[in-house]
Amino acid sequence: MTILFYLILGLIAGAIAKLILPGKQGGGILATIVLGVIGALVGGLLGNLIFQGEFSLELSGSWFWSLITAVIGSLIVLLIYGAVARRRA
């Protein structure tokens, strides 16, 4: 996968995750992209560990399954980010 694909997938996954989990997470489009890209990496890692039994950050499979795992990873990252942000406040 290319870096451009990760950025686009991260933007889409981050936006979907923020739609699924609304709240006061803050951040604009840049934060959405960053959380989405991190989520895509986390989702890819978890997906590969669960379904293929290997430790790899590569998003594999079709774009649909990559998007699903990226959204799940973005939700996890968003929940962690929200918990850390609340703890600081």
Side-chain angles (χ1 to χ4, degrees), residues 37-86:
V37 169
I38 293 170
L41 293 173
V42 169
L45 174 66
L46 291 176
N48 285 335
L49 281 174
I50 293 169
F51 297 115
Q52 296 178 355
E54 62 183 39
F55 188 79
S56 172
L57 291 175
E58 181 179 339
L59 292 173
S60 58
S62 69
W63 67 269
F64 180 75
W65 290 114
S66 295
L67 181 63
I68 297 296
T69 58
V71 169
I72 291 169
S74 295
L75 285 170
I76 293 168
V77 170
L78 195 57
L79 287 170
I80 293 170
Y81 177 74
V84 169
R86 265 184 271 150

